[in-house]
Amino acid sequence: MVQALERVKTGTKEEAEDGLQLLKHATEVCINNGDAWYYRSMFEKERGQPGNVQYALDKAKKFGSEAMDQGANPFHLATGGTSAGGGAGSSAGQLGEKWALVVGISKFQDKHLPRLNYASKDAKDFSSLLLDPGVGRFKAANVHALTEGQVTAKELKIELNWLARNAQPNDLVVIFLSSHGTPRNRDTAEVNYIATSDTETEPEDNLFATAFPMVEISDVVRTRIKAQRTVIFLDTCHSGAAIRDAAASDKALDRIRQGVGRAIVTSSAPEEQSYEGKPFDNGYFTHFLLEALRNGKGNDSIEHVYAAVKQNVSKAAGSIQRKQTPVLSKSERGQEIVIGAAAGGR
């Protein structure tokens, strides 16, 4: 099912056909998976097969589908039109409200996931920067920070939906996420996962059942968040106390950038590791992200911020004979994203 969703990029019939074959296999292997049946109906609809659409929908209703209840549509972009061609309303006006979800997960129930020294601190420091009236200029009520104790997959999903419910087209949305991540080769379907506090990494079936697929975040951003200024900072690539492994794949990056005004900045390239710790009391990526935003008092564009972060992170990693290159992926359309812009002022 996840592989089928990852096929959807530009919304072509070829993508729908490829994804449909995967969904047919999913519903054969697990006949009572209501979400798989629901997405199968959506892919059949894109292929123009109304009879098959109704058959799959009936199955989804029979077995129950959270995706159906939420009205999820992987072929629809929340910023207007479809993934195939955009559409009207693709130009954001004066900046309205600003919203942020900041997550740092350091504690894990699974003994195979070591406690992280800096993930929670990364999130706390980033949240403080957003609330700083001289830098981030966010309202306290508009920043949800999960930085202490347990953060479950359910809680993360609830908070992402909070963003989707509240953010309007002219608003700005910022998502910052720091945790363990899993490489694609750990999963049969080659899916990147974000580890939450309740994730179980072994056996593989438990990883699938308890971790948070990267594709779910991309789908929330693509299809549910209407804000035409949305940026994600992703430092979810830890494999231990000092190394952050398994960066977001090219497929995940490409999906998130679809639509209007989307940008994602990751801590390293997919084939690289990310580092944390001395001489910084943060992840390297987070340290230089905070520094770049402070230096510009929040008024620099995301492209300008990224350029500084990339240069400094690469240099710091080189000083310990390592390679770490942050990556920026952004939509081709949309207005400039400025983290510290005053609400109602741009």
Side-chain angles (χ1 to χ4, degrees):
M1 183 179 75
V2 173
Q3 282 184 313
L5 294 174
E6 285 190 334
R7 292 289 193 278
V8 183
K9 295 178 181 178
T10 59
T12 64
K13 287 191 177 296
E14 289 76 13
E15 291 172 356
E17 180 61 44
D18 289 345
L20 180 60
Q21 298 310 311
L22 290 164
L23 287 166
K24 286 181 176 179
H25 179 66
T27 52
E28 289 170 1
V29 172
C30 189
I31 193 171
N32 62 350
N33 187 323
D35 281 347
W37 282 109
Y38 171 73
Y39 283 121
R40 180 170 167 176
S41 76
M42 302 302 294
F43 280 67
E44 291 281 17
K45 183 177 180 180
E46 286 298 310
R47 293 178 64 250
Q49 302 292 328
N52 294 344
V53 170
Q54 192 57 52
Y55 172 76
L57 272 178
D58 289 342
K59 291 288 188 180
K61 292 174 183 176
K62 176 181 178 180
F63 297 116
S65 167
E66 185 178 5
M68 180 174 64
D69 294 340
Q70 295 174 347
N73 184 348
F75 296 94
H76 168 76
L77 295 179
T79 50
T82 65
S83 54
S90 62
S91 177
Q94 185 181 59
L95 178 62
E97 288 286 355
K98 305 200 299 183
W99 308 87
L101 172 61
V102 184
V103 181
I105 308 174
S106 288
K107 299 177 182 178
F108 305 89
Q109 298 172 14
D110 192 324
K111 64 181 180 180
H112 299 99
L113 291 171
R115 181 189 174 102
L116 297 172
N117 291 327
Y118 295 103
S120 291
K121 184 176 184 297
D122 286 348
K124 290 177 185 177
D125 291 348
F126 189 77
S127 178
S128 294
L129 179 138
L130 292 183
L131 296 175
D132 187 333
V135 185
R137 304 177 183 90
F138 276 68
K139 296 178 181 177
N142 290 4
V143 177
H144 281 199
L146 306 179
T147 62
E148 296 285 358
Q150 304 292 304
V151 180
T152 66
K154 179 180 178 180
E155 288 172 314
L156 182 53
K157 207 166 188 177
I158 288 171
E159 293 297 334
L160 286 169
N161 196 57
W162 168 76
L163 288 175
R165 286 192 299 104
N166 285 283
Q168 300 304 307
N170 287 337
D171 292 352
L172 166 68
V173 165
V174 175
I175 300 171
F176 177 94
L177 188 52
S178 181
S179 177
H180 277 297
T182 66
R184 295 177 76 84
N185 61 14
R186 289 287 304 278
D187 182 73
T188 299
E190 297 187 343
V191 172
N192 281 129
Y193 291 98
I194 295 165
T196 55
S197 296
D198 55 343
T199 292
E200 299 173 13
T201 57
E202 295 183 10
E204 184 182 312
D205 291 345
N206 288 24
L207 175 65
F208 167 76
T210 61
F212 200 93
M214 178 66 69
V215 70
E216 289 201 23
I217 290 185
S218 67
D219 275 345
V220 169
V221 174
R222 280 167 50 89
T223 69
R224 297 178 68 81
I225 293 179
K226 299 183 287 293
Q228 294 183 25
R229 298 176 181 89
T230 298
V231 59
I232 302 172
F233 296 106
L234 206 56
D235 204 349
T236 62
C237 314
H238 308 66
S239 65
I243 298 178
R244 307 178 178 198
D245 201 1
S249 68
D250 292 334
K251 287 183 179 180
L253 297 180
D254 195 46
R255 283 179 57 78
I256 290 175
R257 67 184 288 271
Q258 297 295 326
V260 177
R262 269 58 175 128
I264 176 171
V265 185
T266 63
S267 58
S268 62
E271 71 278 6
E272 297 175 350
Q273 295 174 330
S274 299
Y275 298 88
E276 66 170 9
K278 303 299 181 183
F280 316 112
D281 289 330
N282 291 104
Y284 284 19
F285 172 76
T286 298
H287 171 81
F288 288 111
L289 173 61
L290 296 170
E291 181 180 87
L293 289 168
R294 287 196 188 100
N295 286 345
K297 293 182 171 55
N299 294 320
D300 289 332
S301 69
I302 195 64
E303 291 88 351
H304 191 280
V305 170
Y306 164 71
V309 172
K310 179 182 178 182
Q311 180 181 25
N312 289 324
V313 168
S314 297
K315 182 178 179 180
S319 71
I320 58 171
Q321 289 75 54
R322 299 291 188 269
K323 185 177 181 181
Q324 180 181 343
T325 311
V327 176
L328 168 67
S329 184
K330 63 187 294 292
S331 303
E332 295 177 359
R333 297 178 296 139
Q335 292 195 4
E336 187 176 69
I337 297 175
V338 179
I339 301 297
R346 290 183 71 91

